[in-house]
Amino acid sequence: MSLSRRGLLAASGAVGAAGAVGAAGAPAAAAAAAAAGKSQGGGRVRTGFDRLVADGYRLLAGQRVGVVTNPTGVTHDLRHIVDVMHPDERVDLTAVFGPEHGFRGTAQAGGSEGRYDDPATGLPVYDTYQTSGQALADIFTESGVDTVVFDIQDAGARFYTYIWTLYDCMEAAALAGKRFVVLDRPNPVTGRAALGPVLHPEFATFVGRKPISQAHGMTVCELALLFNGEFLARPVERLDTVKMSGWRRSDFYDSTALPWVPPSPNMPTPETALVYSGTCLFEGTNLSEGRGTTRPFELLGAEGIDRAWAEAANAEELSGVRFREAYFAPTFSKFQGKTVGGVQLHVHDRESFDPVRTGIALLVTAKRSWSGFAWRPDNWIDKLTGSTSVRTLIDAGADTDEVVGAWQGELAAFRAQRARHLLYR
């Protein structure tokens, strides 16, 4: 019996990704267990891709497949799913679609990699960033794919753009008559609760297309079901979602035994994701949100801020977090090369920590304790929070409780809508 190089690579890739389908014996079982996410620490989560491979790609049989992915689309042994799928004769992978930061993740915030052929596989890579509607549908048509597969690690916040790449790609797939498959990965900050203000439609941008809460508490498969069922004017007719196994809504990322790959250059760790849905609001101010440091979104500050801010923030007695007076010099972005003062967040009890309330409290106390505080002139804060409410209340002197209280009605309505699309307990 002869075996082609492509077939040999396919066999080894399948074991590396999710274990040999139908194989027997201790070595194959051990490989399958490792790929399924078992570790000496006891964690076990199988991603949607793991389960797709373990089922022999049956969901994709007979289809020309294009994948929307980035560096986070990896297996437990850190092989990229494109590199696993490409040589496998059971799936016909013909194109790749890159989001913000690009397929291989080389671009900074607000950038992408453009159109090119991937040197590792020879596959055409199409740029989806800032492309939507019929223009994106035309890209799908040009690529010749029958099915678009989405596999990207999210960070759990409304303004993290990959979920809107998901939305745009679903919309375009519906326009182009393409099938759409979403492979699930964990929400790294748990899926326990939706938190924060809900986007008002008039403030829709690429950091928030539709009215969901600031921290949505959903996985990408759940969001796909929400988008298709509630928001898409033309739903995807052929939508499939591949759930994880072993993940619970209360799980933080470090309990999954999955490797963490930074989903964007300024999201280096799961701890960054933990605070991001609150402290990203500082992008809407004249303070540094920590870009250009080793602790983006955990370090916040500006020239002229002293210990008074940390003292005021600690006086809020927020659950699960304390604030350290901190000084740092960003290597790029705001205050590049200058030493600034501010705070570093230290989350000591992530179970009780509320990132959105924390972000609001930090805005309230920064404005009160530093005379130089200002919103970005374009009122970007309104795009991030989803309305004018947060900005105008803080400007009027509202405290943290008053600002947080203002969105509770709309949040309750979104939570009820969200509950219809949850897949995990």
Side-chain angles (χ1 to χ4, degrees), residues 148-233:
V148 178
V149 175
F150 182 94
D151 189 3
I152 294 179
Q153 176 63 56
D154 181 38
R158 183 183 61 231
F159 30 64
Y160 207 55
T161 65
Y162 298 140
I163 63 172
W164 304 114
T165 295
L166 170 64
Y167 180 88
D168 289 344
C169 287
M170 290 177 65
E171 179 184 52
L175 289 170
K178 305 298 182 183
R179 184 174 172 222
F180 204 88
V181 176
V182 185
L183 307 180
D184 221 358
R185 290 183 181 269
N187 185 321
V189 296
T190 81
R192 291 178 300 175
L195 302 170
V198 175
L199 178 81
H200 293 195
E202 62 269 29
F203 291 91
T205 66
F206 194 48
V207 295
R209 292 267 194 244
K210 295 296 174 179
I212 68 173
S213 62
Q214 192 165 305
H216 51 71
M218 304 177 79
T219 69
V220 289
C221 275
E222 292 172 337
L223 283 165
L225 295 173
L226 174 75
F227 294 161
N228 215 45
E230 310 285 348
F231 299 138
L232 281 168

Side-chain angles (χ1 to χ4, degrees), residues 41-357:
R44 175 177 180 163
V45 169
R46 298 177 73 199
T47 67
F49 182 75
D50 292 333
R51 298 188 68 208
L52 179 75
V53 180
D55 196 38
Y57 297 107
R58 283 196 301 170
L59 193 60
L60 306 179
Q63 302 282 297
R64 290 168 297 178
V65 176
V67 178
V68 185
T69 191
N70 71 353
T72 65
V74 295
T75 63
H76 283 83
D77 59 2
L78 291 170
R79 297 189 67 200
H80 197 280
I81 66 167
V82 168
D83 299 326
V84 171
M85 296 172 76
H86 177 248
D88 198 317
E89 293 178 334
R90 297 172 299 174
V91 60
D92 185 12
L93 181 62
T94 61
V96 179
F97 305 99
E100 184 180 7
H101 308 293
F103 162 48
R104 295 295 185 182
T106 62
Q108 264 291 348
S112 59
E113 294 172 338
R115 166 70 175 88
Y116 65 98
D117 291 338
D118 177 44
T121 63
L123 292 169
V125 179
Y126 298 87
D127 187 359
T128 72
Y129 182 50
Q130 293 188 330
T131 305
S132 59
Q134 189 60 52
L136 185 52
D138 291 344
I139 290 175
F140 288 162
T141 300
E142 176 190 346
S143 73
V145 303
D146 304 307
T147 296
V148 178
V149 175
F150 182 94
D151 189 3
I152 294 179
Q153 176 63 56
D154 181 38
R158 183 183 61 231
F159 30 64
Y160 207 55
T161 65
Y162 298 140
I163 63 172
W164 304 114
T165 295
L166 170 64
Y167 180 88
D168 289 344
C169 287
M170 290 177 65
E171 179 184 52
L175 289 170
K178 305 298 182 183
R179 184 174 172 222
F180 204 88
V181 176
V182 185
L183 307 180
D184 221 358
R185 290 183 181 269
N187 185 321
V189 296
T190 81
R192 291 178 300 175
L195 302 170
V198 175
L199 178 81
H200 293 195
E202 62 269 29
F203 291 91
T205 66
F206 194 48
V207 295
R209 292 267 194 244
K210 295 296 174 179
I212 68 173
S213 62
Q214 192 165 305
H216 51 71
M218 304 177 79
T219 69
V220 289
C221 275
E222 292 172 337
L223 283 165
L225 295 173
L226 174 75
F227 294 161
N228 215 45
E230 310 285 348
F231 299 138
L232 281 168
R234 182 175 178 175
V236 178
E237 290 185 8
R238 295 172 294 169
L239 173 65
D240 290 289
T241 57
V242 184
K243 291 175 57 179
M244 296 173 283
S245 63
W247 188 76
R248 300 164 299 179
R249 305 208 74 81
S250 60
D251 287 344
F252 288 93
Y253 199 87
D254 60 7
S255 67
T256 66
L258 294 171
W260 176 262
V261 175
S264 58
N266 295 291
M267 191 65 64
T269 69
E271 288 74 26
T272 318
L274 183 62
V275 303
Y276 174 76
S277 62
T279 55
C280 182
L281 296 179
F282 279 83
E283 287 186 353
T285 74
N286 63 337
L287 281 77
S288 167
E289 63 275 10
R291 292 181 188 274
T293 76
T294 59
R295 289 288 181 177
F297 304 106
E298 296 177 60
L299 284 167
L300 309 167
E303 287 186 294
I305 294 181
D306 58 21
R307 68 178 59 193
W309 186 22
E311 292 172 352
N314 282 320
E316 293 274 305
E317 297 184 343
L318 297 166
S319 295
V321 64
R322 294 285 292 174
F323 305 96
R324 179 182 69 86
E325 173 191 359
Y327 299 89
F328 56 96
T331 59
F332 63 87
S333 193
K334 298 174 185 173
F335 303 107
Q336 179 178 351
K338 298 179 180 179
T339 299
V340 302
V343 300
Q344 181 180 0
L345 285 74
H346 291 264
V347 178
H348 59 83
D349 181 4
R350 62 187 182 181
E351 298 288 345
S352 65
F353 174 64
D354 182 332
V356 181
R357 182 183 181 86

Side-chain angles (χ1 to χ4, degrees), residues 16 26-27 80 122 160 170 224 304 343 355 371 379 394 406 410 424:
H80 197 280
Y160 207 55
M170 290 177 65
V343 300
S371 61
N379 284 338
I394 291 176
E410 62 189 30
Y424 306 91

